[in-house]
Amino acid sequence: MPDPQDLPEAPTTRGRIPLAALDLLDAVATHGSLTAAAAALGIAQPSVSAGLRRLERRTGLTLLDRSATGTRLTAAGEAVLARGRAVLSASDALEREVAELRQGDRVRLAASLSIAEYLVPVWLAGRSPEAPTVELTVANSRDVMAAVLDGRADLGFVEGPRVSDGLRQRVVGEDQLLVVVVPGHPWAGRAEPLDAATLAAGPLAVREEGSGTREVLEEALSAAGVTLGRSVHQLGSTSAVKTMVRTGRIAAVLSQLTVADELARGELVAVPTAVDLRRRLRMVWSAGRQPSAAARELAAEVVAATGG
């Protein structure tokens, strides 16, 4: 005979279903048990259990199938959660909108490393002192696009060859990746352009997966029918890549923006290559969310400054 506590009561009609209760139901569905849901939410397991029982009383539905092997949602629970997740998503969007209102005219930018270090400061330096303030986050292109999609950034600037679904884009410049070595490297005195197979074999220092530089390099090599070889070192910053190149044995593929000074001083040498390493620099914004007036103003200034 079922425990009376497991039977749904007549639904109550006072107030709306709390968002916290929907969070509990979502956590149980995701993690498969009350204990795991409690751990994920950072609360006590009895609090999760009590909250879900209140939700069942509130709806008059049996939402969970509790057993010794775990807790699963019933068909009614799945139906409630499907609609509840839409409510949670809308609540998250509201929170972001409120946060944006608190920020006033501040513009949140996210930019990949080369653009953030070498171009964004130039774009911002010419702005009026009365212009809205800017908050810049530096990340690789993949994370920049995620920040714009999630609403953590109003505008993004990326270097990769592809833009994520859900984003709109505008080209704001072009860049050239260069194969660079120190003057004593065997490739330094090459007269013939480096072929794709030799470049891919390395030894080579490259940026991490998700960076625009890495994606452009891999696509260019793939177009030539080769992939990066085993003798490749993956590093998380341009500075780390350049430091490895200075050891003398390693080559690297980096943006001309990032090595212009070293080339001018003769510390690094650009190696001619038959691989097409040109790339476009893009400004991205959400297709489903209108940027603020301040963000649109800054975007227009960047377009005017770059001729994009």
Side-chain angles (χ1 to χ4, degrees):
M1 184 172 181
D3 188 330
Q5 289 188 352
D6 290 335
L7 296 175
E9 300 180 9
T12 61
T13 57
R14 274 181 288 173
R16 291 191 170 97
I17 294 174
L19 292 174
L22 296 176
D23 274 327
L24 295 178
L25 192 62
D26 187 26
V28 172
T30 301
H31 299 285
S33 72
L34 298 176
T35 301
L41 295 172
I43 59 178
Q45 188 270 341
S47 298
V48 175
S49 182
L52 289 168
R53 290 190 187 281
R54 286 194 296 270
L55 179 59
E56 289 181 316
R57 290 196 297 271
R58 172 67 182 77
T59 60
L61 298 169
T62 300
L63 303 176
L64 299 173
D65 180 13
R66 302 168 175 85
S67 69
T69 59
T71 304
R72 299 176 59 186
L73 270 64
T74 63
E78 295 282 0
V80 169
L81 181 57
R83 183 60 61 91
R85 280 175 170 160
V87 173
L88 292 172
S89 178
S91 176
D92 291 341
L94 175 61
E95 293 286 353
R96 290 194 295 267
E97 295 290 340
V98 170
E100 290 173 6
L101 289 173
R102 284 199 303 265
Q103 291 175 170
D105 287 338
R106 183 174 57 172
V107 181
R108 298 165 304 162
L109 298 184
S112 54
L113 188 61
S114 300
I115 297 176
E117 290 191 339
Y118 296 94
L119 294 178
V120 172
V122 177
W123 297 337
L124 298 182
R127 306 194 79 208
S128 164
E130 290 77 31
T133 58
V134 171
E135 176 185 293
L136 175 63
T137 298
V138 183
N140 64 38
S141 291
R142 179 176 58 194
D143 293 339
V144 167
M145 290 186 284
V148 175
L149 286 170
D150 293 346
R152 291 177 283 121
D154 303 303
L155 297 172
F157 295 92
V158 297
E159 307 158 355
R162 290 178 299 279
V163 170
S164 300
D165 291 341
L167 294 176
R168 300 184 67 184
Q169 62 173 301
R170 182 160 186 168
V171 174
V172 293
E174 294 187 349
D175 186 28
Q176 175 74 42
L177 300 183
L178 300 177
V179 180
V180 294
V181 296
V182 294
H185 189 279
W187 291 353
R190 257 185 104 91
E192 291 295 320
L194 200 65
D195 62 86
T198 303
L199 174 61
L204 200 62
V206 298
R207 289 284 309 280
E208 80 285 1
E209 291 184 6
S211 76
T213 299
R214 173 73 171 267
E215 289 186 19
V216 170
L217 172 61
E218 289 183 331
E219 280 210 355
L221 292 176
S222 178
V226 297
T227 59
L228 287 172
R230 292 177 174 271
S231 189
V232 172
H233 306 275
Q234 178 176 289
L235 301 171
S237 74
T238 300
S239 296
V241 172
K242 288 197 284 189
T243 297
M244 180 164 276
V245 171
R246 292 189 185 100
T247 64
R249 297 175 46 255
I250 309 295
V253 176
L254 291 170
S255 165
Q256 63 181 354
L257 295 169
T258 67
V259 294
D261 290 343
E262 288 87 347
L263 292 174
R265 293 193 297 264
E267 297 170 3
L268 295 178
V269 176
V271 181
T273 177
V275 182
D276 184 1
L277 295 175
R278 292 172 295 177
R279 64 179 178 179
R280 290 180 170 180
L281 310 179
R282 294 176 172 88
M283 177 171 61
V284 297
W285 64 97
S286 172
R289 185 176 57 254
Q290 172 83 327
S292 66
R296 295 197 302 273
E297 178 184 340
L298 177 57
E301 291 175 4
V302 171
V303 170
T306 60

